[in-house]
Amino acid sequence: MVLQSLMIKLESTEEDKVKLLETIQEYNKACNFVADRAFTLKLSNKFKLQKEVYREIRERFNLTAQFAIRIISKVVEAYKKDKTIKPTFKILGSIQYDQRNSRVCIDEVSLMTLKGRLKLKARVGDYQRVRFDRVKGQCDLIYRNNTFYLIVVVDAPEKSEYDATGILGIDLGIENIATDSDRQIFESKKVEEKRQKYLRLRSTLQRTGTKSAKRKLKRLSGKERRFKKDTNHVISKSIISKAKGTIRAIAIEDLKGIRSKVTVISRGSQRDKYSKWAFGELRNFLTYKSKIEGVPLIVVNPKNTSTQCPECQYTDKQNRKARNEFQCIGCGYNEMSDYVAARNIVIRAAVNQPVVAPVLVVTSHDALAHGS
Ligand SMILES: [Zn+2]
């Protein structure tokens, strides 16, 4: 099963807007109220907390029973993550809905508000339309740039895989987040600048160590996580479309390879810069998007991909001249390390898996089992 989230734009009149904003504010006020209780009483058990606050939520805030229950579980989730800090909710933060207080149809959405149910027209694109019969239970209402959106989770259909005519090897993250066997690097300068900015901010806040610094740090980590997620989405998307456009299969290392790389990197001087990148997430995106797009995915053994020479196969740690420079002691082949690794991944994928569809189908299922 491949789960995917879709962002649906909602049309709203001024009157609708007032109702929705009112509901969002009341909901988040209630979240903050419950968070305060949870923190003061040191309660992270949903049922115990519910016993304490349910009645009061209903009395103080003009919210339905369904909202009250959702709010309690949302607060518990947030509080459990870090019990040293009281979770805070932005007054215009998102609202979680479920089947009992919302209904999502293809052109229309019905949402519970303080003033009863509200029906809104949904603007659904063609791509989203085909996935709509697969909407899962929960959704989130968010308010951004004066517009309301609904984030829904769908069970995305899988396409059958095409017969690949070649292999695109992808090396995930030593010097660059992703490098392919065409020598293309999937990481822009902007990404690197942003990573550096977050790194500096983080270490300043860590040094400060005050309560407000802790809060800022928490907010920052949320921002950073979203930034990484967005970047991973963009990178995986361009890799998938490149492979698809050239009718190639994608080859990546199995999970162990990525883990050991991260460990190696963590020991080095560039620790923060690289160890914190969400490689597992990028790998998961590649796995599920290739499923959706019907791109065959081959997973190879990661052993020595960065120390073996793709020209003469000579393997030696000393072939890695510098962090991003490979020079073969055997034949003198000289290239950037990430590209060398990507080439080795292609060679392995081709050796292990002849590019024939039935074999690739099996491999890809195998990959999914690893990835999820
Ligand atoms: Zn060589």
Side-chain angles (χ1 to χ4, degrees), residues 114-126:
L114 300 181
K115 304 270 157 60
R117 289 226 172 213
L118 184 64
K119 282 183 179 170
L120 300 161
K121 281 220 157 56
R123 277 212 226 140
V124 179
D126 288 342

Side-chain angles (χ1 to χ4, degrees), residues 204-219:
T204 311
L205 289 171
Q206 270 159 357
R207 246 178 291 134
T208 315
T210 60
K211 245 188 183 174
S212 104
K214 258 190 176 174
R215 258 202 310 278
K216 274 183 194 153
L217 205 56
K218 212 179 166 194
R219 221 174 303 136

Side-chain angles (χ1 to χ4, degrees), residues 309-314 319 326 328-333:
C309 175
E311 291 291 322
C312 72
Q313 316 310 317
Y314 179 71
N319 284 347
F326 180 97
C328 178
I329 293 176
C331 73
Y333 174 72

